[in-house]
Amino acid sequence: PASPPPRAPSSAPVLDVSDVEALYRDYAGLVFRRALSFLHNETEAEECMHDIFCKVIERYDQFDGRSSPATWLYQITTRHCLNVIRDSTRHRELIERHVRPWVPTSQHVDHESKQLLEVAWAGFSEELKQVCVYHYIDGLSREEVGRIMGCTGRTIGHRIAEIRATLNRLQGAPA
């Protein structure tokens, strides 16, 4: 079956208490686990989970029904957690924890490689950071990342090429 067309802003649903309760009951665990996978701290993950459900209440009209509520919440959680990490010094921890997927040829990453990754990460747009997380850390295919981000697998392929070109350029290798 075809996906329903996006809702016009004037037909945005009104979110009532039972809707919020149902979303929380059905998806709080998913949101918490996703936040915990980024933050590695249960207290911070729980705080993020509550922040995310507050965002859901404020922005429920942005849910257009083209994806499942789980996919929508997964995307909101990823963006929120990336913002939390970006806004704190924790981005270094994320890079340290996930250097291996970026540099598969080395068991131990030298200081120069870590600096290269930090510079690349700092220069990436939020969209490229999401692609990095979904593709390299979560191990999702281009098509899966595209579905989550609302674009094609081919577009994600272009973003991955952009990421690789940036890393190659920073290493001084030909793109």
Side-chain angles (χ1 to χ4, degrees), residues 16 44 48 70 124 162-163 173:
D16 65 25
E44 288 180 33
C48 281
F124 286 159
E162 185 178 345
I163 291 163

Side-chain angles (χ1 to χ4, degrees), residues 95-96 99 109-120:
I95 291 170
E96 297 268 340
V99 164
V109 177
D110 58 54
H111 180 70
E112 185 178 315
S113 295
K114 284 195 271 188
Q115 284 182 322
L116 170 98
L117 292 171
E118 288 176 2
V119 169

Side-chain angles (χ1 to χ4, degrees), residues 112-145:
E112 185 178 315
S113 295
K114 284 195 271 188
Q115 284 182 322
L116 170 98
L117 292 171
E118 288 176 2
V119 169
W121 187 261
F124 286 159
S125 67
E126 290 305 309
E127 179 186 31
L128 288 181
K129 288 177 183 179
Q130 287 179 45
V131 170
C132 288
V133 169
Y134 290 140
H135 185 68
Y136 290 107
I137 296 171
D138 292 342
L140 299 179
S141 71
R142 294 172 184 194
E143 288 72 25
E144 291 168 323
V145 176

Side-chain angles (χ1 to χ4, degrees), residues 22-34 49 53 73:
L23 281 172
Y24 191 85
R25 181 182 58 249
D26 294 343
Y27 299 107
L30 175 138
V31 170
F32 175 79
R33 287 187 303 277
R34 182 69 176 158
M49 179 182 67
F53 278 97
L73 286 165

